[in-house]
Amino acid sequence: QVHMVESGGGSVQAGGSLRLSCAASEYTYNYYMGWFRQAPGKAREGVAAIGRFGSTRYADSVKGRFTISKDNAKNTLYLQMNSLNPEDTAMYYCAADQVNWELLPQYASWGQGTQVTVSS
């Protein structure tokens, strides 16, 4: 399994931006990676995923606002979040898998999460 540590969460007002980072212990080139989020009382949901060669997919709720990317030289995954709204408030997790890159929480490895809070 890949050990991952997220950072970059925080509190922001609606309309603001945050950039999440996820530092991985292994070569990100070898993995499909994704960002998920979970709000209190809700199921964990997929936000964005990136394939081994850079293909991306997004949940409809974040398309046009969020951008997933990775820097294989730094073994780091990113999520740029713009135009944030209160509905984006959640714990955000990065995940990695060698086979799966669907927006479903079935990845093999997970980080511990970073909190994002958006106030109106």
Side-chain angles (χ1 to χ4, degrees):
Q1 288 192 342
V2 184
H3 179 64
M4 296 173 290
V5 179
E6 301 96 333
S7 61
S11 297
V12 64
Q13 290 193 328
S17 299
L18 284 173
R19 187 193 195 202
L20 305 183
S21 299
C22 170
S25 62
E26 297 186 23
Y27 293 122
T28 51
Y29 177 81
N30 291 332
Y31 292 87
Y32 299 94
M33 302 188 77
W35 286 99
F36 291 77
R37 66 186 181 187
Q38 188 167 18
K42 294 187 177 182
R44 189 169 297 189
E45 63 173 354
V47 174
I50 187 165
R52 292 179 56 197
F53 303 108
S55 298
T56 58
R57 51 183 55 167
Y58 296 92
D60 288 343
S61 59
V62 306
K63 280 180 182 177
R65 300 189 299 123
F66 291 11
T67 302
I68 187 171
S69 62
K70 62 176 179 173
D71 186 334
N72 290 328
K74 295 182 179 180
N75 294 331
T76 301
L77 178 72
Y78 301 100
L79 185 68
Q80 177 66 45
M81 305 186 295
N82 299 328
S83 302
L84 285 162
N85 59 62
E87 290 70 38
D88 296 316
T89 295
M91 185 72 78
Y92 282 71
Y93 300 88
C94 63
D97 198 277
Q98 291 188 300
V99 177
N100 172 47
W101 73 302
E102 299 293 336
L103 292 178
L104 296 171
Q106 297 170 349
Y107 286 54
S109 300
W110 294 84
Q112 84 290 348
T114 186
Q115 178 67 37
V116 171
T117 303
V118 184
S119 58
S120 58

